[in-house]
Amino acid sequence: MKNLPQKVRSRKLNSRVDLTAMVSVSFLLIIFFMVVGELSKAKSMDYPFYNDGCGPDHGCNKPDENRIMTILLDDDNKIITYTGLLLLPIDAPKKVEYGRNGIRQKILERNKKVLDYSAQLGKPGKGTTVIIKPSKKSNYGNLVEILDEMKICGINSYSIVDYFTPEEYKLMASN
């Protein structure tokens, strides 16, 4: 009998795959998406809505000039404030600076006067209504700083308006 060549059998290799690196990458991806999800949530300030129960009477919701303070924002961190109407101001237009001794002090002083005035009228707790008017030249950071001041000073009634009267344009150009 002839010697037949022997069949060479291949050895089976170990088919185990090391998944340690895959687990590490998976955890890194999970952490990444959790952080991105948390950072992408919208950040906003609470805007309280107060109803003083005034009702639908004519003139009921008419603004009181003594309670209205206007803040004009312009370029180069310039702020001009006045109280009442610009043509007949209660507090004349004045240029102020940002910060504790500037706009914050001005808002707090005006709010104290308005609270005293409201208490004399028998409507305690009605504070200052602030109208914030950023110009097209002012930057977003200045608007955020003013909104922070509203929160710090406890001003609950404020509005951001993008309309300037011709007199306000002249006032900003002159200062």
Side-chain angles (χ1 to χ4, degrees):
M1 218 188 203
K2 200 172 183 183
N3 248 356
L4 291 173
Q6 294 242 347
K7 258 189 185 178
V8 177
R9 294 193 183 235
S10 62
R11 265 182 52 201
K12 291 192 177 186
L13 296 174
N14 189 2
S15 62
R16 294 183 63 187
V17 176
D18 186 17
L19 296 177
T20 306
M22 184 66 86
V23 171
S24 298
V25 169
S26 299
F27 277 116
L28 285 173
L29 284 172
I30 290 170
I31 291 170
F32 172 76
F33 286 117
M34 287 174 61
V35 169
V36 167
E38 191 64 33
L39 292 177
S40 66
K41 287 182 182 175
K43 305 284 189 265
S44 63
M45 297 174 99
D46 292 333
Y47 184 74
F49 177 74
Y50 296 100
N51 184 3
D52 61 357
C54 185
D57 298 334
H58 180 68
C60 178
N61 293 320
K62 183 180 175 190
D64 184 359
E65 291 87 13
N66 292 307
R67 293 183 55 224
I68 297 174
M69 178 179 187
T70 304
I71 300 175
L72 306 174
L73 304 177
D74 205 6
D75 62 341
D76 297 331
N77 296 331
K78 186 164 57 169
I79 305 174
I80 300 172
T81 66
Y82 65 90
T83 303
L85 301 174
L86 185 56
L87 299 176
L88 298 168
I90 295 168
D91 287 341
K94 183 179 179 186
K95 185 177 177 184
V96 294
E97 300 292 324
Y98 285 95
R100 174 181 290 178
N101 296 326
I103 189 66
R104 186 179 306 165
Q105 182 179 2
K106 185 85 170 160
I107 293 170
L108 288 172
E109 287 172 0
R110 186 67 214 161
N111 198 37
K112 183 177 181 337
K113 287 179 187 177
V114 169
L115 287 172
D116 293 343
Y117 166 76
S118 295
Q120 290 174 357
L121 291 179
K123 298 179 181 178
K126 284 192 148 209
T128 305
T129 299
V130 178
I131 300 173
I132 304 167
K133 294 187 173 187
S135 72
K136 295 193 186 314
K137 298 178 196 173
S138 68
N139 62 36
Y140 183 72
N142 291 347
L143 180 61
V144 171
E145 285 184 43
I146 290 296
L147 292 176
D148 287 343
E149 294 296 339
M150 296 296 114
K151 188 76 170 173
I152 291 168
C153 295
I155 303 296
N156 295 324
S157 179
Y158 58 89
S159 178
I160 302 170
V161 179
D162 63 351
Y163 173 75
F164 281 84
T165 63
E167 293 83 13
E168 289 171 334
Y169 277 120
K170 290 177 188 173
L171 177 65
M172 287 195 318
S174 66
N175 281 329

